[in-house]
Amino acid sequence: MSSLPPSNSLPFLSLGVCDYPEHVPQPLWAGYARDQKALGLEFVRLAEFAWSRMEPRPGEYDWAWLDEAVETSAAAGLKVVLCTPTAAPPAWLVEAHPEILPVGRDGQVKSFGSRRHYDFSSAVYREHSRRITRAVAERYGRHPAVVGWQTDNEFGWGDTAQSFSPAAHAAFHAWLERRYGTVDALNDAWGNVFWSMDYSGWAQVPLPHHAVSEINPAHALDFLRFSSGEVAAFQAEQVALLREHSPGRFVTHNYMGFFSAYDHYEVSRGLDFASWDSYPTGTLQAIHEWKLLAPHFALDYARTGHPDITAFNHDLYRGMVTPGAGQATPGFWVMEQQCGQVNWAPANPLPAPGAVALWTEQAWAHGADAVSYFRWRAATVGQEVLHSGLLRHSGRPDQGHREVAALRPQALPLAPTRARVALLHDYESLWLYNLQPHSEGLNYWAQTFTYYRALRALGVDVDILHPDRDLSGYAVVVAPALTLMTPERAAHLTASAGHSRLVFGPRTAFRTAAGGTPETGQFGDLAGLIGAELSRYDSLYAGMTQDVEGEGGARHSAHAWAESYDLAGAEALWHYRGGPLDGEAAVIRHGAVTTVGAHSESLVRSVLRGVLREAGVETAELPEGVRLTRRGPHTLLQNWTDESVHWQGRTLTPYSSALLPQEVMA
């Protein structure tokens, strides 16, 4: 990794913009660059999808336009973030090598005409990716205005993280042979005795997309692991070339919110920090997909997005890159920040007045060191003409431009984020859970977000971490859906219970690394720590509920999922009332470990409130739509609603935020 600080060189939040000079007439470039600097922007991202202009014909490079674009930005005092252009291979490359195109789940070859039309497993494409990456890095890697690189763009967009091509099939077979050594070992690991699925040769193993019905989850899990490794290897090749030819510059990648198709921790190895593309009104669609919150929430937050949905992704990507020994934890960048309406959701309302400023300040409070707006001028050609920019199609400033002009980034100093609560998340648990959700409207993200939202509603800052990370600095560790368990992970969590209070959610440790269920049943290697084993689980239709009762007669209503436990040292804190689980344990505690078996938003908040109090973590009962976030000594109070809110003697106007004095909520 680079020895440079993984951020901008300013002591406060840096603002930037994604620009596409190749989309507009050249006489506009210099004026636009001056305007960007005058707006308070410090950097510009360039050349993201520009391969066909860099190399219009095979081996024939045209750098003149990009030379001028870089020099024009530099002359205006802007720093430049360049991109490797590999997310959009040119038509001549597809014509010469159609085998680079990915194959979809339906077996159809995806055609040229959009973006991300390549197969990670294609050796031919990997060669051309290295070639163009080397060429652009050699050309601009040591330019004084170039401060960093973005690799490719949004890996996996358009359902392209897995390819079902002949190249992927052959590479998957090779991966399986390296992993298992023999076909018999694979048969044993996958449980292929089930439904007579034993193989006698590697070539017999199909790709998991055309079976009659659901595929063996162990098979699907390994294909996801393989595919994730292909993305990681592709990224690593680019990172190595950028390190070689552009020393001293940062390297990052722009991820997407709640994207599940590969292991982002694996793909992030070697990056200086992670970035993500924040579109709060579009990502609000998660509420519909999860069927988690009441329908009115989508309308209530239609013009801002839900604060916790955006915040979750900020916290996720802040914790994506593990620092090296002796290094500070890096921050993160928002590489694309929505600054007006988007064009890709089922409906695309205009953001509320003040939303762009609110999003920017929230990103800073969650640890962003830079926020880059998408885009400078709204596109007048191509697929995104209905997407906004800081400038309208005519070149006149839009609402987002006015809000950015009013920002004072100097009032948003960079400082470490220090949370006392960690929330554990990993992609293998996600894959296993979502391969067999067994519940209507409940998946890994919905369950995990329920716990995250409860913590944020209690005014608690959260670090989202891989479960195998060092947890020694946390008072409370929350693992909402840690489905996959290994002996090593169980030992790590058991050690963590010596210094932290742990909270587990339903389906904890339900699967082994091979994808099966422990022979001893849930909780397998974690049974001693939890002090119980699974009794039964109840998957509920939408509209079905299960009452849960605690001491003093307090009641909550569970939905979607309810599991009960046979105690082996733990004590029951809550019991089910009525229904087939009547009288059985719903929430249990064993020493410093609490396990919640019922899916209930109000129950989860109640349990977490008690655990946080016992751990000495201060909480605050926040009104709906109001959030607190701390960065260093600073506290940002935010109102995401369309009404004024009065809280602790303060009044927040609609869609606004306020920096509180240091002594408040410290």
Side-chain angles (χ1 to χ4, degrees):
M1 293 176 66
S2 168
S3 60
L4 278 186
S7 188
N8 62 79
S9 59
L10 298 175
F12 49 81
L13 180 70
S14 183
L15 304 179
V17 70
C18 306
D19 199 7
Y20 300 85
E22 68 273 25
H23 295 182
V24 300
Q26 184 275 335
L28 297 175
W29 294 4
Y32 279 176
R34 290 192 297 269
D35 291 346
Q36 290 162 5
K37 186 65 176 177
L39 186 60
L41 306 182
E42 295 292 331
F43 67 91
V44 60
R45 186 190 72 175
L46 299 175
E48 184 185 30
F49 296 116
W51 191 342
S52 66
R53 294 301 171 97
M54 293 178 185
E55 190 182 13
R57 285 163 290 280
E60 182 182 319
Y61 296 106
D62 178 4
W63 302 114
W65 71 273
L66 188 52
D67 288 350
E68 183 171 356
V70 170
E71 293 298 338
T72 299
S73 295
L78 295 166
K79 303 179 182 71
V80 175
V81 177
L82 281 179
C83 304
T84 61
T86 47
W92 59 257
L93 181 55
V94 174
E95 181 182 39
H97 297 286
E99 70 273 19
I100 73 170
L101 293 170
V103 177
R105 299 175 190 279
D106 59 1
Q108 296 297 309
V109 177
K110 295 180 184 287
S111 70
F112 182 84
S114 183
R115 57 184 170 117
R116 300 223 51 80
H117 43 278
Y118 68 80
D119 179 358
F120 286 105
S121 297
S122 168
V124 171
Y125 189 69
R126 294 273 279 268
E127 177 185 351
H128 282 278
S129 166
R130 292 189 296 269
R131 183 180 57 78
I132 191 64
T133 297
R134 181 182 295 107
V136 71
E138 287 177 341
R139 182 78 179 184
Y140 302 103
R142 298 174 188 268
H143 192 288
V146 174
V147 296
W149 294 87
Q150 173 193 299
T151 60
D152 203 89
N153 171 267
E154 295 183 339
F155 288 144
W157 179 91
D159 193 19
T160 56
Q162 290 88 43
S163 178
F164 299 86
S165 65
H169 200 178
F172 182 46
H173 288 159
W175 184 90
L176 290 173
E177 188 168 5
R178 289 193 301 271
R179 183 176 180 88
Y180 293 105
T182 67
V183 175
D184 287 343
L186 178 142
N187 286 328
D188 184 61
W190 285 8
N192 284 338
V193 64
F194 192 82
W195 283 353
S196 187
M197 293 186 296
D198 288 302
Y199 302 111
S200 58
W202 299 109
Q204 297 171 7
V205 182
L207 293 177
H209 65 312
H210 275 161
V212 171
S213 185
E214 60 181 306
I215 200 75
N216 182 345
H219 184 173
L221 174 64
D222 268 349
F223 184 66
L224 286 162
R225 286 168 168 157
F226 154 76
S227 299
S228 180
E230 295 290 89
V231 180
F234 181 88
Q235 166 113 299
E237 291 174 351
Q238 292 200 1
V239 171
L241 288 165
L242 295 171
R243 299 282 187 223
E244 177 184 358
H245 298 290
S246 189
R249 279 75 174 173
F250 67 74
V251 182
T252 189
H253 178 78
N254 61 324
Y255 296 110
M256 296 175 285
F258 293 111
F259 195 69
S260 306
Y262 54 85
D263 186 334
H264 291 52
Y265 296 103
E266 178 185 24
V267 175
S268 295
R269 291 172 190 158
L271 298 181
D272 291 292
F273 56 89
S275 301
W276 82 287
D277 296 344
S278 176
Y279 294 94
T281 65
T283 313
L284 184 65
Q285 295 304 312
I287 288 177
H288 294 298
E289 295 170 10
W290 303 339
K291 302 178 183 177
L292 178 64
L293 302 176
H296 70 82
F297 275 93
L299 297 178
D300 292 346
Y301 293 101
R303 300 197 184 278
T304 60
H306 193 284
D308 299 334
I309 289 177
T310 306
F312 183 99
N313 287 284
H314 288 328
D315 291 341
L316 172 65
Y317 291 115
R318 188 183 69 243
M320 190 57 59
V321 174
T322 304
Q327 291 182 328
T329 300
F332 71 99
W333 279 31
V334 176
M335 193 60 80
E336 296 181 13
Q337 175 60 65
Q338 178 181 353
C339 62
Q341 77 275 7
V342 301
N343 73 319
W344 45 267
N348 300 291
L350 282 168
V356 176
L358 185 65
W359 296 332
T360 303
E361 291 169 346
Q362 184 204 35
W364 162 79
H366 281 264
D369 294 339
V371 171
S372 172
Y373 301 100
F374 186 88
R375 47 186 279 167
W376 176 243
R377 178 178 170 179
T380 59
V381 295
Q383 286 94 325
E384 295 181 345
V385 295
L386 292 174
H387 202 294
S388 65
L390 290 173
L391 303 183
R392 298 177 183 176
H393 298 103
S394 64
R396 291 186 296 123
D398 208 340
Q399 175 65 30
H401 186 285
R402 292 188 288 273
E403 292 188 30
V404 172
L407 284 169
R408 293 192 310 116
Q410 295 84 352
L412 305 174
L414 304 187
T417 57
R418 292 188 175 91
R420 298 188 64 201
V421 176
L423 184 142
L424 305 186
H425 155 68
D426 76 298
Y427 289 91
E428 291 185 328
S429 288
L430 186 163
W431 296 335
L432 279 169
Y433 192 129
N434 286 359
L435 281 166
Q436 295 179 313
H438 200 59
S439 177
E440 185 178 14
L442 184 62
N443 63 16
Y444 174 93
W445 285 123
Q447 183 166 306
T448 300
F449 182 73
T450 295
Y451 286 72
Y452 179 83
R453 182 169 179 259
L455 291 166
R456 298 296 304 153
L458 290 168
V460 175
D461 294 302
V462 179
D463 284 345
I464 299 177
L465 300 176
H466 190 278
D468 300 334
R469 282 274 296 271
D470 178 16
L471 303 175
S472 58
Y474 296 97
V476 177
V477 176
V478 181
L482 197 55
T483 305
L484 185 143
M485 189 57 54
T486 65
E488 296 78 15
R489 182 169 292 172
H492 174 57
L493 293 168
T494 300
S496 298
H499 52 71
S500 306
R501 294 182 181 273
L502 273 57
V503 178
F504 294 109
R507 294 194 239 195
T508 292
F510 193 67
R511 309 301 279 267
T512 67
T517 298
E519 293 288 343
T520 56
Q522 188 184 0
F523 298 90
D525 294 316
L526 214 58
L529 179 64
I530 289 178
E533 65 178 67
L534 175 70
S535 175
R536 297 187 292 169
Y537 48 84
D538 195 14
S539 173
L540 305 173
Y541 278 120
M544 292 180 69
T545 58
Q546 169 66 62
D547 284 347
V548 183
E549 185 177 80
E551 292 184 3
R555 285 212 175 198
H556 296 278
S557 182
H559 61 94
W561 189 267
E563 64 185 39
S564 63
Y565 308 113
D566 292 327
L567 305 185
E571 61 174 323
L573 304 180
W574 295 77
H575 293 84
Y576 292 109
R577 290 292 179 250
L581 298 180
D582 184 49
E584 298 186 30
V587 180
I588 61 175
R589 181 168 60 194
H590 186 225
V593 180
T594 301
T595 304
V596 182
H599 188 75
S600 162
E601 289 82 357
S602 59
L603 174 65
V604 167
R605 186 183 300 192
S606 176
V607 170
L608 288 175
R609 184 188 294 111
V611 172
L612 293 165
R613 182 178 61 249
E614 293 170 357
V617 177
E618 186 175 359
T619 62
E621 299 292 336
L622 297 176
E624 175 60 40
V626 173
R627 290 295 179 261
L628 281 168
T629 312
R630 302 161 190 83
R631 183 171 189 180
H634 310 283
T635 300
L636 187 72
L637 179 64
Q638 310 139 61
N639 177 16
W640 289 67
T641 74
D642 61 358
E643 297 181 351
S644 293
V645 175
H646 306 282
W647 183 75
Q648 291 196 352
R650 297 176 179 274
T651 299
L652 277 176
T653 57
Y655 310 124
S656 68
S657 61
L659 276 173
L660 302 185
Q662 293 186 15
E663 68 272 11
V664 178
M665 296 301 299

